[in-house]
Amino acid sequence: AQRVTQPEKLLSVFKGAPVELKCNYSYSGSPELFWYVQYSRQRLQLLLRHISRESIKGFTADLNKGETSFHLKKPFAQEEDSAMYYCALTPGGYQKVTFGTGTKLQVIP
Amino acid sequence: EAGVTQFPSHSVIEKGQTVTLRCDPISGHDNLYWYRRVMGKEIKFLLHFVKESKQDESGMPNNRFLAERTGGTYSTLKVQPAELEDSGVYFCASSHASGNTIYFGEGSWLTVV
């Protein structure tokens, strides 16, 4: 069975500090990994996916198959980054998404 | 383009009553999904429609939940009779037939008292 683990419920950092939101997964095949974000009073939206190897809003995430991790990183946190972040996984080719429990990022001015 | 819309945004009902949640996917999206997040837990998959057919309903918790997508357009999720543990946020999402991006609605908050 597939599983996504986000160990931190809340992460508080000061503005300008580096951010790392942890995500580990378990899946027997080759999954696709995603990060979703939900800003206050907005809908859940895709932030980035591992296959794109892109940087969105300064965030990056590298898939480490050896450690089965997909941590989300940003070198300098901004106040507008405050939101709920969900790590997610799909088996690939099929859209059933398995989510982690989410991490609330709080950027302190 | 209009996003995924859900109705109602909030609903408070008594235990034993019935509630029907509606989802209008993005026009042209064949895939429609229902997810829910109960308090303190992760967002969990409920089921997946491809057009009007149920592709995967492995996440439906029990037979008090009934989802339909007649005509392959909008979908409804009915809870009958509602129980206290059904309280949470119910998300609908849609995607293109071959698309890799899922678009979520704002969610329907259900409170059973």
Side-chain angles (χ1 to χ4, degrees):
Chain A
Q2 55 213 49
R3 187 181 181 91
V4 177
T5 303
Q6 292 179 252
E8 303 141 328
K9 285 190 175 180
L10 173 66
L11 182 65
S12 297
V13 301
F14 285 101
K15 178 181 172 181
V19 175
E20 183 178 47
L21 300 171
K22 296 190 187 305
C23 172
N24 287 87
Y25 67 91
S26 63
Y27 181 66
S28 56
S30 295
E32 294 186 30
L33 274 296
F34 305 82
W35 276 98
Y36 283 83
V37 60
Q38 188 171 24
Y39 300 102
S40 178
R41 288 185 287 277
Q42 294 188 28
R43 64 187 66 201
L44 196 63
Q45 57 187 287
L46 179 67
L47 180 63
L48 54 80
R49 67 188 78 183
H50 89 271
I51 57 172
S52 301
R53 300 188 64 82
E54 58 200 344
S55 173
I56 304 294
K57 299 184 179 183
F59 285 98
T60 59
D62 289 320
L63 179 61
N64 186 322
K65 292 185 178 180
E67 295 181 359
T68 60
S69 68
F70 189 56
H71 304 325
L72 183 68
K73 299 178 183 179
K74 185 170 182 176
F76 308 104
Q78 304 297 314
E79 288 180 64
E80 56 266 29
D81 296 330
S82 295
M84 278 292 292
Y85 291 80
Y86 294 93
C87 185
L89 170 160
T90 72
Y94 173 49
Q95 310 291 313
K96 178 178 177 178
V97 182
T98 297
F99 288 91
T101 49
T103 298
K104 182 175 182 179
L105 175 63
Q106 184 179 59
V107 181
I108 304 164
Chain B
E1 80 186 348
V4 177
T5 56
Q6 293 186 243
F7 181 85
S9 57
H10 292 79
S11 182
V12 180
I13 62 171
E14 292 184 350
K15 176 182 171 181
Q17 289 187 318
T18 298
V19 64
T20 300
L21 310 177
R22 173 174 169 141
C23 169
D24 285 78
I26 293 173
S27 178
H29 280 191
D30 287 342
N31 292 300
L32 186 148
Y33 313 85
W34 283 98
Y35 289 83
R36 77 170 178 177
R37 183 180 66 219
V38 296
M39 189 64 69
K41 300 282 184 73
E42 66 270 31
I43 300 170
K44 280 196 170 178
F45 169 84
L46 295 179
L47 86 159
H48 169 210
F49 283 100
V50 177
K51 298 184 180 178
E52 68 275 8
S53 299
K54 292 178 184 175
Q55 178 77 15
D56 182 348
E57 52 183 330
S58 60
M60 295 287 265
N62 52 60
N63 59 11
R64 296 186 293 103
F65 289 75
L66 176 64
E68 295 179 322
R69 193 183 182 195
T70 307
T73 54
Y74 71 91
S75 174
T76 57
L77 179 64
K78 181 160 72 173
V79 185
Q80 178 183 33
E83 297 290 344
L84 299 179
E85 64 264 25
D86 301 332
S87 297
V89 186
Y90 289 77
F91 293 101
C92 178
S94 71
S95 68
H96 277 296
S98 58
N100 207 12
T101 299
I102 301 175
Y103 298 87
F104 282 83
E106 294 185 331
S108 289
W109 291 76
L110 173 65
T111 303
V112 183
V113 297

